[in-house]
Amino acid sequence: MAVFAEIPEVGYEGLDSKNPFAFKHYNPDEMVGGKSMKDHLRFSMAFWHSMNNVMNDPFGVGTAQRPWDHLTDPMQIAEMKMRGLFELTTKLQIPFFCFHDRDIAPEGSTLRESNKNLDQIVDLAASLQAEHPTKLLWGTANLFTNPRFMFGAATSPNAEVFAYAAAQVKKAIEVTQKLGGENYVFWGGREGYETLLNTDMKREIDNLGRFMHMAVDYAKKIGFTGQFLFEPKPKEPTKHQYDFDAGTILGFLRGYDLIDHVKLNIETNHATLATHTMQHELHTARINGVLGSVDANQGDLLLGWDTDQFPTDLYETTLVMYEVLKNGGLHSGGLNFDAKPRRGSFTAADLAETHIIGMDAFAQGLKAAQKLIDDGEMEAIVNERYASWESGIGKSIEDGKESFESLEAYAIDKPEISNISGRQERLEAILNRAIFS
Ligand code: XUL
Ligand code: CO
């Protein structure tokens, strides 16, 4: 029996369609720059938001109306949600999903009991995978909800918690492998601090390094070939999260000899919480060879927290896809909707529609980004700006042939140097044209 009986199968109807359950821009098999939209975009549904989020906030209870609201047995609810996820992803043509271990099965009173519940639901997911096109983009472990993790997991001051977290991640990697997960994500959860007054930061970060080496060793041992991903976030829930932003994580990965084993999962709302643009974070990851995957959402710049809204901002989706195209694609990564409808958009139909809207916004972004690349004007302006490095003294510097002394000799009697215009507004107009033409 259908879980989301009122949600129809969603297909492409084009720009003139007013049907809310149709794509206006996302046309999965349409080729853009030699690759189909579905291969470019690799959309994913986040189990924790789309199945679990009741849409409460600190001032009000949940408003979400979901097909399992009448059930009380936790395992029965878990099964219905898993069926619902496979049904909805299939109807919406979303090829992937992502989950935390505790999203999909209730926690027991021991880890053994939790693992047993998890195994039962993972078996169900495996059998649903055989009947549906939906694949696993990534799995992860929830190391933040249970009170034992109040001071973090791998960075907890309590070694007992470190041990528990390691055992939990071991199992989460195993089930991710079992479901064919293409990646495994480490989001910091509560890895960070509330006050330095009670925190041995060096020990905590060293322990995170130890934890990650154990994860790398274990993945190798069991032959898990999925890509490990760190997901930066600067704050929330802790005041300072150790995985603050892409640059901070790069420093950690290099400092602890993990750079060959971990890439980044960049989330739009986390970038803006760090007072970076999303493009900055993607660009930083890309030029350092660690752009792995994207948590696709958007924040509200007037609010200081992680609102996890569905992406609708075309400037944002265009620049995300511009960086993704420059990266040669997302490879094993995807665009995971780490997003929830607003609290007032509480129906199951809203849940489906918000995904459709997000997919269309990314399809538009992809088309605009491909135009920017095909048109080449933006890149030409950048290349011209750096032309002095292609010959003469610039080339000689980059070839390693110069020193402070030789450059003094070169510069000492030079007349005034002239620069060329940065043409920022022209570039902004080129971006506008790509989006709106
Ligand atoms: C939290 C967040 C997480 C990660 C997975 O802000 O983004 O849901 O994506 O743990
Ligand atoms: Co996320």
Side-chain angles (χ1 to χ4, degrees), residues 48 100 138 140 144 185 187 231 233 267 270 295 306 338:
W48 56 99
H100 301 82
W138 48 262
T140 186
F144 43 90
V185 162
W187 167 59
E231 182 177 322
K233 186 175 184 181
E267 177 166 329
H270 296 180
D295 267 7
D306 198 13
D338 194 349

Side-chain angles (χ1 to χ4, degrees), residues 395-403 406:
K395 183 160 188 329
S396 184
I397 294 169
E398 288 196 347
D399 287 346
K401 292 184 183 152
E402 302 296 334
S403 65
S406 69

Side-chain angles (χ1 to χ4, degrees), residues 61-220:
V61 297
T63 58
Q65 295 175 355
R66 298 292 179 255
W68 40 83
D69 288 346
H70 62 287
L71 297 178
T72 51
D73 176 57
M75 283 304 277
Q76 224 186 329
I77 293 173
E79 284 179 15
M80 190 166 178
K81 285 178 176 175
M82 190 54 85
R83 289 183 199 284
L85 176 116
F86 275 88
E87 185 189 317
L88 203 55
T89 47
T90 303
K91 284 178 169 172
L92 295 173
Q93 301 198 53
I94 294 179
F96 292 100
F97 77 112
C98 298
F99 70 95
H100 301 82
D101 48 3
R102 301 294 170 259
D103 297 339
I104 63 171
E107 181 152 17
S109 52
T110 60
L111 185 57
R112 191 183 296 281
E113 225 177 275
S114 301
N115 287 352
K116 189 166 159 258
N117 291 346
L118 186 59
D119 281 336
Q120 196 175 320
I121 303 296
V122 167
D123 284 346
L124 172 66
S127 69
L128 288 164
Q129 274 186 329
E131 299 159 9
H132 295 79
T134 315
K135 292 181 287 185
L136 180 60
L137 187 66
W138 48 262
T140 186
N142 178 327
L143 305 176
F144 43 90
T145 299
N146 189 288
R148 78 176 67 85
F149 298 122
M150 63 175 68
F151 301 126
T155 68
S156 172
N158 185 345
E160 300 289 334
V161 176
F162 181 108
Y164 192 102
Q168 193 179 324
V169 169
K170 172 180 176 290
K171 180 69 178 176
I173 294 172
E174 288 164 11
V175 301
T176 299
Q177 181 182 33
K178 178 165 180 188
L179 295 175
E182 297 190 25
N183 309 270
Y184 182 90
V185 162
F186 296 84
W187 167 59
R190 293 178 195 274
E191 314 293 19
Y193 63 77
E194 294 299 331
T195 171
L196 269 181
L197 297 177
N198 66 11
T199 303
D200 182 344
M201 186 157 94
K202 171 151 175 34
R203 181 172 230 154
E204 293 197 0
I205 297 176
D206 282 352
N207 283 341
L208 183 59
R210 286 190 181 94
F211 192 94
M212 287 308 299
H213 276 285
M214 288 183 200
V216 168
D217 289 347
Y218 188 64
K220 196 165 163 204

Side-chain angles (χ1 to χ4, degrees), residues 379-399 401:
E379 196 162 279
I381 290 177
V382 177
N383 289 342
E384 214 182 308
R385 198 160 175 246
Y386 291 87
S388 65
W389 295 96
E390 299 300 327
S391 60
I393 193 67
K395 183 160 188 329
S396 184
I397 294 169
E398 288 196 347
D399 287 346
K401 292 184 183 152

Side-chain angles (χ1 to χ4, degrees), residues 109 314 318 378 399 428:
S109 52
L314 298 183
T318 300
M378 190 172 252
D399 287 346
E428 287 164 354

Side-chain angles (χ1 to χ4, degrees), residues 403-415:
S403 65
F404 267 17
E405 292 103 312
S406 69
L407 292 177
E408 182 192 49
Y410 178 83
I412 196 105
D413 295 317
K414 278 250 161 185

